[in-house]
């Protein structure tokens, strides 16, 4: 057998009290696509950042091509042909593509020659791999899919033979992800070694040759992809059996709770993002909105929940209008029984610097049960937070901890617990499981179904088609600001995919 | 006509320390290190420059001492905010205080003239340079006046300051150092993962700041004036910061911003005590406050959104 491209032996890494990596051993064969899966916080990014020299391991050894080497800085990693596409892109946003590509790889003190060289090299890479991107485009004006391409180009420009991709599909639409996978396969055919980190099991099955599973900082197993199953991997990841399908009974729709009529919303640039959208949601049903990110879903729920002003149209909550064009006040809407779990929990849903218990009542802090005259009733708030922690299994179970110290999945649970425990009549949820691990996804889905079964109306927006299909009783597909189709929960992925891609209704029906 | 020429001439003179300080701040802030200690570094530089020039009788030694001192102060700021990831505003304020206090104490201890340094003359000062041919073309209308009365007749440091503008532009946008400098002020993690040391890069930027504030200080005490007087920077470091924001951290606009502020200051001196038609005498204080008032008005909304370098003011921390 050929020498391993990379060998990690006994890697340990702690951040303060957190042991992110414990005694990790890993061998990656050359010319293969090696997947690494694990829940959020399992230590995948940390391990790969150590390999790339971004962090230093506390102990352990790294071998590249059989030779032990020390990787102290990313420079050392680049020198032995390791390239990495980070989970959070490492791009200078107001630089052009070209400037980002040459940054750190400039051949001399003046830029001119480097730029000329990079331009022709980019053309070659474009021809070879179909990695098209305008070299003079400014990064912040590119869609994320293309930004990621720039990251890949950066690595290839530096002559990477081993390419690490950390959760590359988290930001991509399904067609973009497919394109990425085609590129990865092509890179593999050219003899490059690829390490693909993800927490999506389907991607692992679709593209990897070998897969390693991480759990709570340890490497629990390595399998040949062809000889394992989604079920086994999921179990290894979470450490117990998980239900991948949501079990739910028949919906019993009641009266109309939320009614949207001819709603039109523009974004800050004046572009029409929601165009004449109408629908009703009844109590006891989950209505899912499917669509590729950026087709107006976000603006739609922001307008309904009073965060963004609409241009025209009307919204009725329990038969009474919401002033979506003027000043719909999210606080007042909460009082009227409309709760909102925002898509972006970090910027809209939580104050990360607050303690957990403070976030768990944020927005409901005027509720008399949290007040003691004009002052906050700290004891009541903390007790309430402890109840939610127990009920929603939020970990670590310390309501005094700073919210920033919780993992993404647990932060999401804090927001969900806050909004659901107010017992709203209508719940609007955006991307409920984005960046959330398998175990928590299952829990969140069960909760949403339970809300439905209590007769609440749920409006679900998600870019995860599987999630939409398994939870929704009715599915609306948005494309370019319009609702282009409505389907039942039995809609096939292909059918929805066509609608999401904007293929006309009639063609899709044929 | 004479008034106008004098006013423009004065504007150039007054703008120079602003311009040097503003460009100094540009290097640091473009690299993501906010620096409200420009004032202090300039003051320390002015004092060291005047002291060294007084003792040695050489303006060049004075300039060297000014630069060295300002660079030392800049390195202190760097040590606090780069190596120790401290608060950059606090560190900058501290530097201003230390400079204001120590220049007076040392000045009194060394020269016993109430914080002043001895008056410089001859080789101890940068004298005005007459550009070649200035005398000959003096009488040519307009162009001759511009050349001989406005362009000619300044000290060497004035020309250095204005040449620093295209030079800074060239460094920022045409060199590897400039590319990295701009990158580290926007996204230090990108620089780090590209295999470049964030700390070393930022230190170099801060040293550039030190050099330029040193020159600015030397200009004040060894060229424009003939010695150091306490608090002689008189808020110029802060005006330079305002100009930097006003110029959106770009070298050429920075020059125009400094010329504008310089013009206001020159005008306030020139028209002091003058009776205006309709208005009458304007209090001196109001004229002197004019540059500051304008700064506030301009910054409050007349320049559009000034977006600072994105990583500005934030220490680069990898492991929480
Ligand atoms: N820079 C850091 N500073 C402190 N703690 C960190 C840092 N990066 C990651 N961690 C912690 O290390 C653990 C593993 O994180 P990570 O490697 O990002 O996991 P994954 O990529 O598998 O989701 C988590 O508990 C996380 O909070
Ligand atoms: Mg990660």
């Amino acid at each position: 057998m050929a020498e391993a491209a990379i060998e990690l032996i006994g890697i340990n890494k702690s951040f303060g009290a957190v042991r992110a990596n414990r005694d990790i051993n890993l061998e990656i064969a050359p010319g293969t696509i090696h997947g690494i899966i694990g829940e959020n916080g399992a230590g995948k990014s940390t391990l790969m950042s150590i390999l790339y020299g971004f962090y230093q391991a506390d102990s352990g050894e790294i071998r590249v091509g059989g030779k032990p080497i020390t990787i102290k800085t990313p420079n050392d990693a680049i020198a032995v042909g390791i390239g990495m596409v980070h989970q959070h892109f490492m791009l200078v946003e107001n630089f052009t593509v070209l400037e980002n590509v040459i940054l750190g790889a400039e051949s001399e003190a003046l830029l001119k020659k480097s730029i000329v060289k990079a331009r022709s090299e980019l053309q070659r890479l474009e021809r070879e791999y179909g990695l098209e991107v305008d070299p003079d485009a400014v990064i912040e004006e590119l869609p994320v899919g293309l930004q990621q391409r720039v990251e890949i180009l950066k690595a290839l420009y530096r002559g990477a033979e081993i390419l690490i991709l950390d959760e590359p599909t988290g930001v991509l639409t399904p067609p973009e992800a497919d394109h990425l996978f085609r590129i990865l396969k092509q890179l593999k055919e050219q003899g490059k070694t690829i390490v693909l980190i993800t927490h999506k099991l389907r991607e692992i099955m679709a593209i990897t040759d070998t897969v390693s599973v991480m759990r709570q900082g340890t490497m629990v197993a390595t399998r040949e992809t062809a000889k394992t199953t989604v079920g086994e991997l999921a179990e290894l990841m979470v450490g117990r059996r998980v239900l991948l399908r949501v079990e739910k009974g028949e919906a019993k729709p009641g009266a109309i709770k939320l009614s949207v009529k001819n709603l039109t919303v523009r974004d800050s640039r004046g572009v029409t993002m929601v165009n004449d959208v109408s629908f009703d949601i009844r109590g006891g049903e989950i209505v899912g909105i499917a669509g590729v990110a950026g087709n107006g879903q976000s603006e739609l729920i922001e307008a309904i929940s009073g965060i963004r002003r609409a241009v025209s149209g009307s919204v009725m909550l329990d038969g009474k209008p919401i002033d979506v064009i003027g000043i719909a006040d999210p606080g007042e809407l909460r009082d009227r029984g409309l709760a909102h779990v925002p898509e972006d929990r970090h910027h809209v849903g939580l104050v990360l610097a607050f303690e957990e218990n403070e976030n768990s009542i944020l927005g409901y802090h005027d509720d008399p049960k949290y007040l003691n005259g004009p002052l906050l009733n700290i004891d009541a708030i903390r007790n309430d937070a402890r109840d939610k922690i127990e009920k929603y299994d939020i970990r670590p179970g310390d309501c005094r901890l700073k919210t920033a110290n919780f993992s993404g999945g647990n932060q999401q649970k804090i927001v969900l617990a806050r909004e659901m425990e107010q017992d709203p009549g209508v719940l609007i949820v955006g991307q409920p499981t984005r960046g959330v691990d398998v175990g928590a996804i299952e829990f969140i889905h069960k909760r949403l179904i339970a809300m439905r079964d209590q007769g609440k109306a749920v409006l679900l927006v998600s870019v995860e088609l599987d999630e939409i299909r398994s939870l929704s009783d009715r599915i609306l597909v948005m494309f370019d600001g319009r609702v282009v189709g409505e389907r039942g929960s039995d809609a096939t992925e292909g059918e929805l995919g066509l609608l999401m891609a904007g293929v006309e209704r009639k063609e899709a029906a044929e | 006509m004479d008034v106008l020429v004098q006013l423009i001439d004065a504007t150039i003179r007054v703008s120079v320390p602003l311009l040097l300080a503003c460009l100094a701040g540009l290097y640091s802030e473009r690299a993501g290190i906010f620096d409200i200690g420009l004032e202090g570094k300039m003051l320390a530089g002015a004092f060291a420059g005047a002291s060294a020039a007084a003792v040695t009788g050489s303006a060049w030694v004075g300039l060297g001492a000014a630069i060295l001192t300002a660079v030392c102060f800049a390195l202190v700021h760097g040590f606090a905010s780069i190596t120790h990831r401290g608060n950059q505003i606090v560190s900058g304020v501290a530097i201003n205080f230390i400079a204001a206090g120590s220049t007076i104490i040392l000045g009194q201890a060394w020269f016993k003239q109430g914080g002043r340094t001895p008056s410089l003359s001859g080789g101890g000062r940068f004298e005005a340079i007459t550009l070649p041919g200035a005398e000959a073309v003096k009488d040519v209308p307009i162009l001759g006046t511009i050349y001989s009365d406005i362009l000619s007749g300044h000290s060497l440091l004035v020309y250095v300051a204005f040449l620093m503008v295209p030079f800074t532009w060239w460094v920022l946008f045409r060199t590897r150092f400039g590319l990295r400098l701009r990158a580290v002020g926007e996204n230090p993690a990108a620089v780090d993962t590209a295999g470049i040391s964030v700390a070393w890069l930022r230190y170099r930027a801060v040293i550039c700041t030190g050099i330029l504030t040193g020159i600015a200080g030397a200009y004040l005490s060894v060229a424009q004036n003939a010695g150091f007087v306490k608090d002689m920077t008189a808020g110029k470091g802060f005006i330079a910061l305002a100009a930097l924001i006003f110029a959106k951290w770009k070298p050429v606009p920075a020059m125009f911003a400094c010329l504008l502020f310089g013009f206001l200051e020159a005008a306030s001196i020139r028209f002091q005590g003058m009776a205006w038609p309709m208005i009458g005498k304007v209090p001196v204080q109001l004229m002197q406050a004019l540059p500051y008032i304008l700064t506030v008005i301009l910054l409050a909304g007349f320049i559009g959104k000034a977006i600072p370098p994105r990583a500005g003011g934030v220490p680069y921390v990898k492991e929480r």
Side-chain angles (χ1 to χ4, degrees):
Chain A
M1 201 189 116
E3 202 76 73
I6 292 175
E7 224 176 318
L8 299 175
I9 303 158
I11 301 282
N12 278 292
K13 175 74 184 173
S14 300
F15 293 110
V18 179
R19 287 193 67 185
N21 286 165
R22 309 170 193 234
D23 219 5
I24 303 261
N25 294 307
L26 177 67
E27 216 171 287
I28 293 166
T32 61
I33 301 186
H34 193 119
I36 297 181
I37 52 164
E39 296 190 301
N40 265 296
K44 309 179 295 288
S45 297
T46 304
L47 185 67
M48 289 303 119
S49 298
I50 288 172
L51 178 55
Y52 187 64
F54 190 65
Y55 297 137
Q56 270 79 59
D58 300 333
S59 65
E61 189 181 324
I62 299 174
R63 289 185 194 167
V64 175
K67 281 192 285 294
I69 58 163
T70 42
I71 298 183
K72 276 221 172 74
T73 67
N75 240 348
D76 301 333
I78 294 167
V80 293
I82 298 174
M84 179 158 176
V85 176
H86 294 261
Q87 188 168 2
H88 307 285
F89 297 157
M90 297 294 184
L91 296 169
V92 182
E93 299 236 310
N94 57 359
F95 274 23
T96 63
V97 170
L98 213 49
E99 287 175 320
N100 269 290
V101 168
I102 59 173
L103 182 68
E106 314 91 336
S107 47
E108 54 188 82
L110 297 186
L111 289 180
K112 208 161 185 179
K113 277 198 187 144
S114 311
I115 289 181
V116 172
K117 187 178 143 218
R119 202 179 280 279
S120 68
E121 181 69 10
L122 282 187
Q123 270 164 9
R124 186 185 69 80
L125 291 169
E126 179 178 322
R127 270 198 312 275
E128 215 162 302
Y129 302 107
L131 287 162
E132 276 167 46
V133 51
D134 172 10
D136 297 308
V138 175
I139 297 296
E140 58 198 349
E141 282 159 14
L142 291 176
V144 273
L146 284 184
Q147 294 187 3
Q148 182 176 68
R149 205 170 283 180
V150 178
E151 285 281 39
I152 297 174
L153 284 168
K154 259 169 72 179
L156 294 178
Y157 182 73
R158 288 159 168 74
E161 286 301 315
I162 300 160
L163 188 62
I164 306 165
L165 296 109
D166 194 355
E167 309 249 7
T169 56
V171 294
L172 300 185
T173 61
E176 283 175 331
D178 287 343
H179 187 191
L180 173 68
F181 288 164
R182 277 198 300 279
I183 292 167
L184 294 186
K185 281 185 181 146
Q186 211 179 333
L187 287 168
K188 173 181 141 181
E189 276 159 25
Q190 309 250 341
K192 304 218 190 275
T193 307
I194 290 169
V195 184
L196 178 72
I197 298 175
T198 176
H199 61 253
K200 293 185 188 162
L201 291 161
R202 234 182 21 177
E203 294 173 354
I204 289 285
M205 301 308 284
I207 185 168
T208 62
D209 301 305
T210 318
V211 50
S212 299
V213 186
M214 287 187 74
R215 184 170 74 225
Q216 290 173 5
T218 58
M219 192 61 83
V220 287
T222 296
R223 298 273 187 277
E224 257 176 74
T225 310
K227 292 183 185 159
T228 185
T229 62
V230 170
E232 186 195 16
L233 291 178
E235 205 174 317
L236 284 166
M237 255 165 93
V238 208
R240 61 185 163 81
R241 294 190 68 78
V242 278
L243 281 172
L244 289 171
R245 273 247 148 298
V246 192
E247 285 173 7
K248 62 171 188 183
E250 198 68 20
K252 301 184 195 68
I256 292 179
K257 300 281 269 180
L258 186 77
S259 169
V260 176
K261 282 218 168 48
N262 309 109
L263 194 68
T264 296
V265 185
R266 301 212 179 103
D267 71 2
S268 49
R269 297 162 301 167
V271 179
T272 303
M273 294 305 289
V274 178
N275 195 346
D276 198 19
V277 166
S278 304
F279 60 88
D280 292 330
I281 306 179
R282 293 169 182 276
E285 68 171 352
I286 298 180
V287 173
I289 297 192
V292 176
N295 275 285
Q297 308 94 310
S298 309
E299 289 77 8
L300 175 69
I301 59 174
E302 283 170 10
I304 297 175
S305 54
I307 298 177
R308 184 186 284 276
R309 287 187 187 189
V311 180
S312 60
S314 64
V315 178
M316 307 281 267
L317 174 61
D318 292 322
K320 286 189 221 89
I322 299 178
D323 187 10
V324 282
I325 296 170
I327 34 150
D329 170 21
E332 183 204 320
L333 292 179
R334 279 200 193 97
D335 292 343
R336 285 170 61 183
L338 182 142
H340 174 211
V341 177
E343 289 182 298
D344 183 347
R345 58 177 170 259
H346 281 172
H347 292 114
V348 187
L350 294 166
V351 181
L352 291 178
F354 276 15
E355 289 178 8
E356 192 273 345
N357 64 79
E358 294 169 314
N359 269 308
S360 80
I361 61 149
L362 206 64
Y364 299 101
H365 48 271
D366 283 340
D367 191 321
K369 72 181 175 210
Y370 301 131
L371 292 180
N372 203 345
L375 304 176
L376 289 174
N377 184 345
I378 302 289
D379 286 337
I381 292 171
R382 292 198 184 141
N383 286 332
D384 182 82
R386 283 186 201 106
D387 286 348
K388 286 175 186 161
I389 285 176
E390 195 174 312
K391 196 160 168 191
Y392 285 80
D393 190 25
I394 297 167
R395 280 184 238 178
D398 176 5
C399 74
R400 299 294 311 277
L401 200 66
K402 221 170 82 173
T403 310
N405 293 341
F406 287 81
S407 71
N410 283 298
Q411 289 172 350
Q412 185 70 357
K413 286 193 206 167
I414 296 172
V415 180
L416 281 163
R418 179 178 75 207
E419 303 300 334
M420 287 181 171
E421 286 307 294
Q422 287 296 319
D423 206 25
V426 177
L427 181 68
I428 300 179
V429 267
Q431 319 296 351
T433 56
R434 176 183 278 171
V436 171
D437 50 65
V438 178
I441 289 176
E442 182 191 10
F443 174 84
I444 292 170
H445 284 177
K446 278 188 182 157
R447 278 273 147 194
L448 288 171
I449 302 275
M451 293 276 293
R452 177 197 80 160
D453 292 342
Q454 287 163 25
K456 321 283 188 194
V458 179
L459 177 61
L460 167 74
V461 170
S462 173
V463 291
E464 301 286 343
L465 206 48
D466 285 344
E467 178 164 85
I468 294 276
R469 287 177 59 223
S470 57
L471 289 177
S472 310
D473 301 307
R474 285 191 292 135
I475 302 171
L476 305 176
V477 183
M478 278 188 83
F479 174 74
D480 200 16
R482 292 175 183 276
V483 172
V484 291
E486 179 178 334
R487 295 288 184 273
S489 58
D490 53 353
T492 64
E493 195 181 324
E495 189 180 356
L496 294 172
L498 282 178
L499 284 168
M500 282 164 63
V503 179
E504 276 302 316
R505 218 182 283 209
K506 269 173 261 126
E507 294 173 40
E510 277 161 16
Chain B
M1 190 63 197
D2 258 8
V3 175
L4 190 64
V5 169
Q6 281 170 17
L7 196 57
I8 294 175
D9 194 49
T11 298
I12 290 176
R13 255 188 273 270
V14 179
S15 302
V16 165
L18 291 181
L19 180 57
L20 286 166
C22 187
L23 293 175
L26 193 147
Y27 281 93
S28 178
E29 302 216 340
R30 274 281 185 154
I33 305 290
F34 281 168
D35 192 351
I36 61 165
L38 294 176
E39 174 88 0
K41 286 193 274 289
M42 230 192 316
L43 192 65
F47 174 72
S51 305
V55 172
T56 63
S58 158
W60 288 98
V61 174
L63 178 65
I67 291 177
L68 204 67
T69 308
V71 168
C72 287
F73 272 74
L75 286 174
V76 171
H77 184 54
F79 188 64
S81 51
I82 302 169
T83 305
H84 282 285
R85 304 188 183 112
N87 185 310
Q88 299 170 9
I89 303 298
V90 172
S91 162
V93 169
I95 281 179
N96 287 339
F97 275 117
I98 293 171
S102 61
T103 48
I104 297 176
I105 293 173
L106 291 178
Q108 176 62 17
W110 290 345
F111 304 109
K112 312 240 176 336
Q113 298 184 8
R116 288 169 172 272
T117 59
S119 200
L120 301 170
S121 57
R125 261 187 93 183
F126 285 102
E127 298 289 353
I129 300 171
T130 307
L131 293 184
E135 283 304 317
V137 298
K138 204 171 172 52
D139 297 325
V140 179
I142 305 187
L143 282 182
T145 314
I146 290 180
Y147 185 72
S148 59
D149 289 346
I150 296 179
L151 294 183
S152 174
H154 297 286
S155 78
L156 177 71
L157 297 184
V158 173
Y159 301 107
V160 169
F162 282 93
L163 286 176
M164 282 313 293
V165 176
F167 179 73
T168 298
W169 178 88
W170 179 80
V171 167
L172 276 188
F173 297 101
R174 288 290 179 271
T175 70
R176 174 170 66 191
F177 174 63
L179 181 80
R180 294 177 173 188
L181 186 96
R182 287 182 290 133
V184 81
E186 292 289 328
N187 187 353
V191 168
D192 193 354
T193 53
I196 308 163
S197 161
V198 172
W200 172 224
L201 190 53
R202 287 189 160 169
Y203 266 112
R204 279 185 290 170
V206 160
I207 289 172
C208 292
T209 304
I211 294 172
L212 287 172
T213 45
I215 300 177
Y219 173 79
L220 284 176
S221 66
V222 190
Q224 196 184 18
N225 301 292
F228 178 85
V229 257
K230 71 170 194 165
D231 287 334
M232 79 182 303
T233 44
K236 289 194 173 57
F238 297 105
I239 295 278
L241 272 185
L244 185 59
I245 298 170
F246 187 35
K248 300 183 179 171
W249 293 267
K250 295 191 183 95
V252 177
M255 180 182 75
F256 288 113
C258 291
L259 282 172
L260 173 67
F261 288 132
F263 172 77
L264 287 174
E265 198 184 327
S268 80
I269 297 168
R270 182 73 186 68
F271 298 125
Q272 225 170 59
M274 200 177 99
W276 293 84
M278 313 280 287
I279 309 171
K281 251 188 172 176
V282 178
V284 184
Q285 288 82 358
L286 185 66
M287 289 303 279
Q288 285 171 341
L290 212 59
Y292 299 91
I293 294 171
L294 187 80
T295 305
V296 171
I297 294 174
L298 288 175
L299 292 184
F302 281 86
I303 53 164
K305 212 164 153 203
I307 302 164
R310 250 161 275 198
V314 192
Y316 179 53
V317 183
K318 253 204 285 201
E319 307 189 9
R320 274 168 277 138

